Amino acid sequence: MTQRRRKLKGRKRSFPSAMIWISLILALLFVVFVYPKGHFLYANTEKPDESIPVTTVDKHHPEPDRDTEHEPDSDSDSDSDPDPGQGSEPVTDPGGDSGLETNLPETQKPEEDEKIAQNEKDQQHQETDSTTPPAPPAANPPVSQPSASPKKTPIFSGNSGAGKKVAITFDDGPVPGFTAEYLGVLNEHQVPATFFMVGTQVKKYPHLAQKIADMGFTLGSHSYQHSRLTLKSPDIIQEDFRKTEAVFASLGEVRFFRPPYGDYNDLITKTAQSFGLTSIGWNVDPRDWDSEDSTQIANHVLTHVKDGAIILLHEGKPSTLAALPKIFNGLTEMGYQVVPVADLLP
């Protein structure tokens, strides 16, 4: 009996201690699991912390695609800038407290930044202008500014004091199938002419060149292979004249030289003079090489002819061949006499 009482007394003493531990454990579980869940259950309804910057995207001015955006050209005109007041306002936090601006494209910088950038650019231009000498003017094309010699003394291109006399000249021959036809028309109208022949053509068709000489027409050189001599070195120019002189040697006297394309300088004319040649130009050019209309060619000659004129024509052109009778008849009606180039020299 006494032993049973002792057991019950021991159980009564341990019971309060167990309740305390259970209460502590339940309180701890409540703090860890129940209270936090209840707190965050309503967290979304609270105002967010305004210390965290909020960045929004304006649907009317979307952020440019950084993968495809190019830097603006520094030399572009001011017309490419946006119109003031349109798309130039910074996009800020809707709350109005953060004051942070989103990144804007270069074309939407604030006005002050644009002024600063422009001032820096102007300052750079001023420094460049003060330290860098002005760029020299662009060089003229080779035709008007030959590399061999820039000096260009005018060559004989007509004589206004010769009265009602003109000279007919032909370039680029002889040409098979055409030279004989040209000679036939000249002979029919009893018109003298000067033939400025190319050395390579004379070498290929010596019989045609000899026929021109045999009929008493004036012979002239048009270089060896019709190259632009102003682009050649002095040695090459000399060689060109030597080759031309060699192929013309059997034809008879050659007194005149016409530079290809009418392009010359003092080096070329002096070289021609050293070979006993007088350089000859022209002052009436119907551009027959670029026309298929014989009437147009003839009309140009007759409307531009003047006293002592040198008329430029070309061999190997059907339209030129057809224009010859019209030109000869028109000159006669106007009172002009066709003479060799030598007769126009002062």
Side-chain angles (χ1 to χ4, degrees):
M1 187 69 177
T2 303
Q3 187 177 0
R4 184 177 180 184
R5 288 179 179 177
R6 288 179 180 176
K7 288 182 180 180
L8 291 175
K9 187 177 182 179
R11 290 179 181 177
K12 290 180 181 180
R13 289 179 180 178
S14 61
F15 180 78
S17 299
M19 292 297 296
I20 293 174
W21 280 109
I22 292 173
S23 300
L24 291 175
I25 291 172
L26 291 176
L28 181 62
L29 292 176
F30 177 80
V31 171
V32 174
F33 295 102
V34 178
Y35 176 77
K37 289 183 179 180
H39 175 75
F40 289 111
L41 181 63
Y42 300 96
N44 292 335
T45 61
E46 295 183 4
K47 185 177 181 180
D49 188 359
E50 293 181 354
S51 64
I52 302 174
V54 179
T55 303
T56 61
V57 177
D58 191 340
K59 295 182 180 180
H60 298 286
H61 301 284
E63 186 75 4
D65 187 358
R66 296 300 180 184
D67 294 334
T68 59
E69 184 182 12
H70 300 283
E71 289 189 15
D73 189 354
S74 59
D75 297 329
S76 61
D77 295 334
S78 60
D79 293 341
S80 62
D81 294 335
D83 189 23
Q86 296 183 2
S88 60
E89 292 295 329
V91 181
T92 60
D93 182 7
D97 296 330
S98 63
L100 297 178
E101 296 179 1
T102 58
N103 295 329
L104 293 175
E106 288 296 321
T107 56
Q108 296 182 359
K109 284 185 176 181
E111 186 176 0
E112 292 183 1
D113 291 343
E114 292 181 353
K115 290 182 179 179
I116 294 174
Q118 185 62 38
N119 292 337
E120 292 177 354
K121 185 183 294 184
D122 294 342
Q123 184 176 1
Q124 292 176 357
H125 285 307
Q126 291 175 359
E127 293 175 358
T128 303
D129 293 340
S130 61
T131 58
T132 305
N140 292 329
V143 173
S144 59
Q145 187 78 12
S147 58
S149 172
K151 189 176 179 182
K152 182 176 178 179
T153 302
I155 61 177
F156 182 75
S157 300
N159 180 9
S160 59
K164 303 286 285 187
K165 296 179 180 180
V166 298
I168 298 289
T169 64
F170 296 102
D171 286 3
D172 299 348
V175 180
F178 284 94
T179 296
E181 296 291 332
Y182 278 59
L183 294 175
V185 177
L186 291 169
N187 186 55
E188 179 183 351
H189 289 81
Q190 293 297 298
V191 173
T194 301
F195 286 80
F196 289 99
M197 296 182 289
V198 178
T200 54
Q201 291 295 103
V202 173
K203 188 176 181 179
K204 289 180 181 178
Y205 313 105
H207 62 288
L208 291 177
Q210 190 63 55
K211 187 172 184 178
I212 294 173
D214 292 344
M215 293 182 66
F217 293 101
T218 303
L219 304 180
S221 167
H222 200 35
S223 82
Y224 184 71
Q225 56 185 7
H226 205 280
S227 59
R228 198 177 293 275
L229 297 178
T230 52
L231 303 179
K232 308 298 182 181
S233 67
D235 291 342
I236 294 179
I237 294 173
Q238 284 279 344
E239 181 66 17
D240 189 278
F241 276 90
R242 280 194 295 267
K243 288 183 177 180
T244 307
E245 184 181 52
V247 297
F248 275 74
S250 62
L251 299 177
E253 183 182 21
V254 180
R255 297 178 52 190
F256 304 106
F257 165 75
R258 173 170 283 167
Y261 309 102
D263 186 19
Y264 67 93
N265 53 39
D266 282 359
L267 175 61
I268 294 171
T269 56
K270 288 179 179 178
T271 304
Q273 188 176 3
S274 70
F275 282 84
L277 304 173
T278 300
S279 297
I280 302 295
W282 65 84
N283 57 6
V284 177
D285 179 12
R287 295 175 61 88
D288 60 325
W289 55 269
D290 192 32
S291 176
E292 298 180 357
D293 188 340
S294 61
T295 301
Q296 180 182 5
I297 295 171
N299 288 342
H300 183 100
V301 171
L302 298 176
T303 55
H304 290 81
V305 70
K306 62 190 84 172
D307 290 357
I310 297 178
I311 301 169
L312 171 64
L313 298 170
H314 293 81
E315 286 197 61
K317 306 296 180 182
S319 53
T320 301
L321 178 62
L324 292 180
K326 303 174 186 178
I327 293 173
F328 299 154
N329 293 333
L331 291 174
T332 300
E333 293 175 0
M334 297 172 68
Y336 284 101
Q337 178 187 1
V338 180
V339 300
V341 167
D343 290 1
L344 296 180
L345 294 172

